[in-house]
Amino acid sequence: HVEFEPVDPDVERVRERGIAATRQLAKRQLTWLRSMRERQVVACDDADVASRVRRILEPHVAAVLA
């Protein structure tokens, strides 16, 4: 059973709370991801990001399809 707060008529306050909640979620996700021993970090702005991700994923995809 989930209880919801009454709707806040202050749109700016709701917006700020939404932004804060999103930041908190992102921090929890990063903490969780950092705990993964086998993680491989690829910068999304690398020039060869697609080929790097493909090289990382190829063995895993092959194992699933085998």
Side-chain angles (χ1 to χ4, degrees), residues 18-44:
I19 290 169
T22 301
R23 282 191 187 120
Q24 290 170 350
L25 174 60
K27 287 170 91 174
R28 286 193 302 271
Q29 289 173 328
L30 286 173
T31 298
W32 174 71
L33 288 169
R34 285 187 195 109
S35 73
M36 296 179 157
R37 292 177 151 207
E38 293 126 15
R39 77 180 183 279
Q40 296 188 37
V41 179
V42 177
C44 63

Side-chain angles (χ1 to χ4, degrees), residues 2 10 17-18 24 28 34 39 48 54 57:
V2 178
D10 185 344
R17 287 180 68 194
Q24 290 170 350
R28 286 193 302 271
R34 285 187 195 109
R39 77 180 183 279
D48 64 337
R54 195 174 299 114
L57 293 178

Side-chain angles (χ1 to χ4, degrees), residues 30 40-53 56:
L30 286 173
Q40 296 188 37
V41 179
V42 177
C44 63
D45 57 352
D46 276 356
D48 64 337
V49 67
S51 61
R52 290 190 64 202
V53 170
I56 292 168

